[in-house]
Amino acid sequence: MIGELERQRRSRLDLIVDSSTLKAIPDELYGLKLAIPDYGEYPLTDWAHGQLADKLGIPRKYYQRMLDPRKFQLLAENVNAWPNDGGRRLIRILDGKIRAVLSDRYRMMDNYDLVFLALEEFKRKETVEIYRIDLTQTMLYLKAIDRTLTDSIRDGDIVYGGLIIRSSEVGASALRVEPFILRKVCSNGLILEHSLKRIHLGRQTLEVGEIEWSDETRMLEDRALWSKVRDIIKARFDRRIFTSWVKRLKESVKIEIEKPIDAVNNMVGHVGLSEERKQRLLMYFSEPTKYELINAVTNLQARWRMLKSRLDLKNSAVES
């Protein structure tokens, strides 16, 4: 994983361009390429196609229909014909493909920097280990646990304290640092609260062209943010906080739900789950207690994230 992050750091290209200078060109292999003056023509990832459609105000369903091989010319004509706002865009390119079409106010927080900052903090506490890292076309997920933060909610139900760091270099998510408890029996983890959320917006970039941030500029721009991330990481491994979480979960074991089906129906109506996901939630809901309802929701969310992650990886493999 570290090797892949290093490779991406070397091969990426970030450009600020005047949106009025971009030109769409039909392409038999990719459907569409964007021509960027002085830099060349680049195909788009699925994610970037969606962003481009949104920026131009083209309905996504209509845009997707035009990705049919017989409609490539029509797609290019639409992209070139729809009026733009005359503003500038941040175009993020990796491995010769446009992976993101963003506002020029988008603040880049790269996965490489984020992972190495986390690793530095983990090394300060030798009992912390990385449980899992997932890197998809659009998202980075990092889970870490502290083996000394452990307890049992009930007999055989062992939990560990940890944190989840997630971020996106292409605008799919804000940076989040979230504490969580990992249940040994299910390995999914319960996310208890959001500790830090940072929308990727910063000051406007002044120049049009390739972005070559100096080390000093990056350090000054990111110092306050990275300082907050460090503080959150340190705090999430605090034994007092972990103990308070465990206490809450132990209390939830004793809270019985008299009408579990009604409870699930209420949750389905509140969250807006489909009938299929409702049935899965009922399947995971093994005992009529608040604790098991929490675990059922966690299992359902974990399965949904896993399927989405697999889809991202599949799309990435097809494109490469």
Side-chain angles (χ1 to χ4, degrees), residues 14 210-214:
D14 296 312
E210 187 169 349
I211 302 173
E212 296 180 352
W213 300 112
S214 68

Side-chain angles (χ1 to χ4, degrees), residues 166-212:
R166 68 185 71 198
S167 188
S168 172
E169 294 184 332
V170 296
S173 171
L175 166 65
R176 293 181 182 272
V177 182
E178 303 165 322
F180 86 120
I181 282 184
L182 175 71
R183 294 182 68 210
K184 186 176 179 180
V185 296
C186 73
S187 78
N188 292 322
L190 305 174
I191 298 175
L192 300 180
E193 61 187 18
H194 296 313
S195 296
L196 172 68
K197 177 180 178 182
R198 175 81 180 194
I199 301 298
H200 290 252
L201 289 176
R203 66 184 185 186
Q204 284 191 331
T205 305
L206 299 179
E207 300 294 333
V208 174
E210 187 169 349
I211 302 173
E212 296 180 352

